[in-house]
Amino acid sequence: MTGPVRNERRAAREPVGSRRAPAASRYPRPTREELAAAADRTIPDLIAPGLDVLFVGINPGLWSAATGRHFARPGNRFWPALHRGGFTPRQLPPSEQEELLRYGLGITNLVDRASARADELTAEELVAGAESLTAKVERYRPRWVAVVGVTAYRIGFARPKAGFGPQPELLGGARLWVLPNPSGLNAHFTPETLGAAFAELHAATTAG
């Protein structure tokens, strides 16, 4: 079946297999051919032990798979929302994603393979992804896990009535939060309301 699917610590942490990215101008827009070829690719996690927040996307889009950068498609509101929410002192471009590790933040995905739209994923993929995410969280031990996409969370974790915000259960020992999907296709949230949702999480993570 297919379905719809800190504060800086903040001593610098050692990135896992990462290095500082070149400037954004060094990454041209992918061509149509490059985007088509990016389907089903994977991209590395941006992760390190002991993060304050590990953000979890649904799966990489084709722009992300083509460039190797999380939330890379123009129009995706993750990076503006992260800044509006108080997690970063300025709005970072995707090409500077490694800077997040300095602020105790990381990014992974529920499903590894790239697709043009998240609703191309199957329920089985989301369930398997939830199991893999749990093992990853147990390994890296972030304080908080923030899933960006309530529908994918409901399916993957068998929580059909889950809403946005803090969740009652822990995930691999981490506290759990669900955020709106920052995709430009999510018309239910404006840049302002997305920023406010991220700010609620930021307030919770800095409260203890």
Side-chain angles (χ1 to χ4, degrees):
M1 149 186 172
T2 56
V5 254
R6 177 173 39 155
N7 326 329
E8 197 167 340
R9 217 173 232 144
R10 292 174 159 140
R13 293 177 173 84
E14 279 300 316
V16 175
S18 66
R19 59 180 178 171
R20 184 177 180 83
S25 60
R26 298 274 298 275
Y27 292 89
R29 294 169 64 95
T31 65
R32 288 186 179 182
E33 292 76 14
E34 289 170 333
L35 291 173
D40 297 326
R41 282 186 192 167
T42 63
I43 62 174
D45 290 337
L46 182 68
I47 198 167
L51 295 172
D52 288 331
V53 185
L54 178 63
F55 290 94
V56 183
I58 301 171
N59 73 312
L62 299 184
W63 273 77
S64 289
T67 62
R69 304 293 172 184
H70 293 276
F71 300 104
R73 184 180 179 84
N76 191 291
R77 285 125 1 129
F78 175 80
W79 299 98
L82 204 64
H83 175 54
R84 285 174 181 266
F87 283 102
T88 58
R90 62 184 175 88
Q91 182 177 322
L92 298 174
S95 62
E96 294 183 29
Q97 63 180 19
E98 286 86 357
E99 289 293 308
L100 290 185
L101 295 173
R102 296 180 54 228
Y103 303 114
L105 308 174
I107 304 174
T108 186
N109 287 287
L110 194 58
V111 175
D112 290 336
R113 76 173 182 92
S115 64
R117 296 173 59 101
D119 60 10
E120 296 176 22
L121 303 177
T122 66
E124 291 76 14
E125 285 180 290
L126 294 170
V127 170
E131 294 174 356
S132 296
L133 175 63
T134 301
K136 191 176 299 183
V137 172
E138 289 173 346
R139 176 183 178 188
Y140 286 98
R141 311 299 296 177
R143 291 177 53 233
W144 289 81
V145 173
V147 180
V148 291
V150 69
T151 301
Y153 174 76
R154 288 169 177 167
I155 296 171
F157 289 92
R159 300 283 190 271
K161 296 183 179 180
F164 297 112
Q167 304 302 306
E169 66 274 4
L170 298 178
L171 178 66
R175 300 174 73 178
L176 184 59
W177 195 282
V178 175
L179 289 165
N181 187 340
S183 167
L185 299 175
N186 185 0
H188 297 291
F189 287 86
T190 66
E192 292 74 20
T193 56
L194 274 173
F198 276 65
E200 289 181 18
L201 171 60
H202 183 259
T205 64
T206 57

